[in-house]
Amino acid sequence: MADWSELPKDLLNLISQRLQSPLYLLRFRSVCSSWRSSSSSSSSSSPFPFSHSITLTPTFSLYHRSLLLLTPPSTAPNCRPWLVKISHDPRARTARLFHTLSRSQPKRPRFALDLLRLHVLDLGCEFRLSSACPSTESLYDEKLVLLSAGNDGFALLTIHISGKLALFLRGDSGWTIIPDMPTPYDDVCAFRGTFYAVDGNGRTVTVGLDASLRVVTERVFGGDKKFLVECNGALMLVDLYLFADYENLDEEDVGVIGWERTVRFDVFRLDEEVGRWVEVASLGEWVLFLGDDCAFSASAKDLGVERGNYVVFRDDGLGAVRVANGVGVFDLDDGRISPLSQCPGFSELFWPPPVWVRTH
């Protein structure tokens, strides 16, 4: 049998440079001393190789959270994977866990996660800003995305409270607010090394590091909220439709602002050659996840569910049906929204952790 520790250092270094996830790089460097010496902690393209925060300015700090799919070991047959959002700080013995699609934290768990021993699939990450001045932090409270720019540099894109795009380059003293805004922007993402943004009408632009904008597609009228998410190597647009149901307002809902229920989603794929969104009839084996600060995808096989073609979304309990824990599941096959608790396979993906996690 080959001795993996004897692989050429040049080859090991090339492999480490292709690891996009800080967690994958950490596991790579933990194999043996030869692998560790053949790569550096900065080999990953992420500016967060082994840290969970970076100071941007005297006012703002940037925090990183990983979206991980933990797969049960062979000693736990017939068990489901578990989705977790984790902020891992190398200075602390324990990581901070979050509900996968929201900003909230569950009650402190009484178990440990050994990410070096578990089988882990890195599905993506999310970023959050923290400010010493709460009023300043609220100006940049939308989804935040990052692009690496080489030599430990990076750029950030988010949506300002005004609805305009806000750009930050590492080393800048402040944010650049981009004035162009025919309609307030709904979402931003980083796709194939480029920033993308979509407004409320579906007009989609790319954003250069010099704050320049290039229109990719014109408007897509229809829904009330647009999301951008990468899926199977393509950029997707998810269009959420709301229905204002004031007539059936329950007494317990008095005071809810904008009583609106999510009723359906339409999904489009970006055709880059012709510059337009093409409606997708089916996602095939793929499942889309839409959270407060993140959007990601995973295959039905990896998730351990019977099939794909679903959108799992954060809804704060105001969907077409009352959804448990603020999470609903939309089936693109029949157009129905179901509470998470009524979707076998999906409900086990979320909090609380399965037994095999607590015992391994």
Side-chain angles (χ1 to χ4, degrees):
M1 182 177 291
D3 185 350
W4 293 97
S5 66
E6 297 299 323
L7 285 174
K9 289 193 173 183
D10 289 346
L11 176 60
L12 290 171
N13 186 45
L14 287 174
I15 294 173
S16 68
Q17 291 177 7
R18 290 179 174 270
L19 299 176
Q20 301 297 313
S21 164
L23 177 61
Y24 292 165
L25 180 60
L26 176 62
R27 292 166 69 104
F28 178 92
R29 288 168 53 82
S30 300
V31 171
C32 63
S33 59
S34 175
W35 287 37
R36 184 165 55 255
S37 63
S38 300
S39 63
S40 68
S41 61
S42 60
S43 295
S44 172
S45 62
S46 169
F48 293 87
F50 300 120
S51 64
H52 79 303
S53 66
I54 292 177
T55 299
L56 299 180
T57 68
T59 304
F60 286 103
S61 293
L62 177 67
Y63 286 82
H64 165 268
R65 297 168 187 166
S66 296
L67 296 155
L68 307 177
L69 182 66
L70 309 185
T71 302
S74 56
T75 55
N78 303 319
C79 291
R80 300 281 188 176
W82 187 48
L83 272 173
V84 61
K85 182 163 61 179
I86 185 170
S87 175
H88 35 92
D89 185 348
R91 298 167 297 182
R93 289 185 176 271
T94 58
R96 298 175 63 195
L97 297 179
F98 296 81
H99 288 294
T100 311
L101 299 182
S102 76
R103 300 173 182 177
S104 63
Q105 288 185 266
K107 294 181 179 179
R108 179 171 296 180
R110 298 183 179 275
F111 64 94
L113 283 177
D114 188 346
L115 296 180
L116 294 181
R117 294 183 179 275
L118 292 170
H119 184 275
V120 180
L121 181 62
D122 193 333
L123 297 178
C125 56
E126 71 174 33
F127 303 95
R128 290 290 297 161
L129 291 173
S130 177
S131 174
C133 178
S135 61
T136 304
E137 183 176 340
S138 65
L139 297 176
Y140 306 94
D141 198 37
E142 296 291 332
K143 178 181 170 186
L144 181 71
V145 291
L146 177 147
L147 280 181
S148 296
N151 297 323
D152 296 325
F154 60 83
L156 301 169
L157 182 70
T158 188
I159 301 173
H160 186 261
I161 193 172
S162 64
K164 299 177 181 179
L165 297 174
L167 181 70
F168 181 90
L169 301 181
R170 188 173 192 180
D172 286 356
S173 58
W175 292 81
T176 298
I177 308 300
I178 303 175
D180 172 82
M181 189 191 67
T183 304
Y185 284 91
D186 270 0
D187 199 13
V188 294
C189 77
F191 176 68
R192 293 183 183 172
T194 302
F195 282 135
Y196 283 78
V198 62
D199 69 16
N201 287 329
R203 175 178 174 267
T204 308
V205 300
T206 58
V207 185
L209 299 186
D210 59 354
S212 61
L213 300 182
R214 181 179 70 86
V215 177
V216 177
T217 71
E218 292 299 336
R219 300 177 179 184
V220 178
F221 291 106
D224 300 283
K225 170 73 175 177
K226 310 290 193 294
F227 298 86
L228 296 173
V229 56
E230 184 175 353
C231 177
N232 195 23
L235 184 60
M236 316 295 281
L237 171 70
V238 183
D239 205 3
L240 177 154
Y241 285 75
L242 296 171
F243 172 67
D245 188 12
Y246 296 104
E247 292 183 0
N248 297 316
L249 187 67
D250 297 330
E251 183 178 347
E252 64 187 67
D253 300 314
V254 174
V256 174
I257 299 175
W259 175 250
E260 296 173 321
R261 297 177 181 271
T262 302
V263 291
R264 86 168 200 264
F265 294 87
D266 289 338
V267 181
F268 301 83
R269 176 183 56 82
L270 178 63
D271 186 327
E272 298 179 76
E273 291 187 2
V274 299
R276 68 186 181 93
W277 291 107
V278 179
E279 188 164 5
V280 174
S282 173
L283 293 170
E285 66 169 330
W286 292 90
V287 178
L288 304 183
F289 293 85
L290 309 178
D292 288 339
D293 299 301
C294 62
F296 59 95
S297 61
S299 70
K301 179 180 179 181
D302 288 333
L303 295 170
V305 296
E306 184 177 348
R307 64 174 177 86
N309 208 30
Y310 290 96
V311 177
V312 182
F313 63 101
R314 174 74 179 168
D315 199 53
D316 294 323
L318 298 181
V321 293
R322 295 286 177 172
V323 295
N325 299 319
V327 177
V329 180
F330 177 74
D331 187 341
L332 271 77
D333 280 345
D334 59 20
R336 294 177 57 188
I337 292 177
S338 301
L340 185 65
S341 59
Q342 295 180 12
C343 300
F346 285 102
S347 57
E348 293 90 342
L349 289 171
F350 295 89
W351 196 268
V355 173
W356 69 263
V357 170
R358 300 194 296 267
T359 56
H360 286 79

